[in-house]
């Protein structure tokens, strides 16, 4: 059997950019909003409807899926993955958007490299350690790490 694959090009399309945004290609950004003074590293994907707040840095190889909003002055480390499909029916939603869940990241949140962020809400002034898996809302400022991520200390 031989056929032709359906090819989708990497690119930047339908993005609302603020002032002084720096982006290193290749990136796959579409239908999202990137505010003033942001940095977007190479090999990132930011999907439709995502909002990235002012002065936020998104490092290389990050994946930010639909239904994610990130506040101002945040840092998203290398290889951070955001998830909107919780496999609520025992497997992938297979495009059934009604099964997806949203994520809201507050201001001044730093997320370490290779962290995984499930659909959660994270308050302002939080640090997530590298490699952590955030499975529940974070309602108090401080430092969190582990799988699942747990509070290590309060912000001082």
């Amino acid at each position: 059997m031989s056929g032709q694959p359906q090819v989708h090009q990497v690119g930047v399309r339908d993005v609302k950019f603020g002032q002084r945004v720096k982006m290193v290609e290749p990136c796959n950004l579409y239908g999202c909003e990137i505010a003033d003074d942001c940095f977007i590293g190479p090999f990132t994907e930011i999907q439709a409807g995502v909002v990235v707040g002012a002065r936020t840095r998104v490092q290389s190889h990050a994946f930010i899926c639909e239904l994610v909003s990130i506040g101002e002055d945040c840092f998203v480390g290398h290889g951070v993955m955001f998830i909107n499909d919780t496999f609520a029916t025992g497997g992938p939603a297979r495009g059934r958007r009604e099964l997806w869940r949203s994520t809201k990241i507050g201001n001044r949140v730093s997320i370490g490299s290779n962290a995984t962020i499930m659909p959660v809400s994270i308050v302002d002034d939080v640090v997530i350690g590298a490699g952590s898996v955030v499975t529940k809302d974070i309602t108090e400022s401080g430092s969190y790490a582990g799988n699942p991520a747990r509070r290590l200390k309060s912000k001082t």
Side-chain angles (χ1 to χ4, degrees):
M1 201 188 265
S2 69
Q4 294 300 316
Q6 186 181 53
V7 178
H8 297 268
Q9 298 292 322
V10 171
V12 177
R13 55 195 178 282
D14 303 321
V15 177
K16 181 179 176 189
F17 286 108
Q19 300 294 311
R20 299 169 302 281
V21 172
K22 294 179 183 169
M23 183 187 71
V24 181
E25 292 185 311
C27 285
N28 198 25
L29 280 59
Y30 49 93
C32 56
E33 184 175 329
I34 311 295
D36 295 345
D37 301 303
C38 286
F39 171 83
I40 308 297
F43 304 104
T44 57
E45 180 168 346
I46 303 177
Q47 294 186 331
V50 171
V51 176
V52 178
R55 297 170 303 282
T56 290
R57 295 183 60 85
V58 178
Q59 300 302 104
S60 71
H61 300 86
F63 174 75
I64 306 175
C65 59
E66 292 184 40
L67 302 180
V68 172
S69 67
I70 299 173
E72 297 181 347
D73 301 301
C74 292
F75 176 85
V76 177
H78 301 276
V80 170
M81 298 290 144
F82 287 85
I83 308 298
N84 61 13
D85 184 356
T86 62
F87 285 37
T89 61
R94 302 200 190 286
R96 292 179 51 202
R97 293 172 185 250
E98 70 274 12
L99 296 175
W100 294 354
R101 300 293 173 253
S102 63
T103 295
K104 183 177 186 325
I105 306 297
N107 299 316
R108 298 172 304 282
V109 172
S110 293
I111 303 172
S113 294
N114 294 316
T116 300
I117 311 299
M118 298 299 288
V120 295
S121 182
I122 298 176
V123 299
D124 298 346
D125 302 305
V126 167
V127 174
I128 305 294
S132 296
V133 179
V134 180
T135 61
K136 295 185 185 331
D137 290 350
I138 294 179
T139 59
E140 294 182 54
S141 299
S143 297
Y144 294 76
N147 181 2
R150 291 189 171 91
R151 185 187 184 107
L152 299 178
K153 65 178 182 177
S154 302
K155 184 174 187 327
T156 55

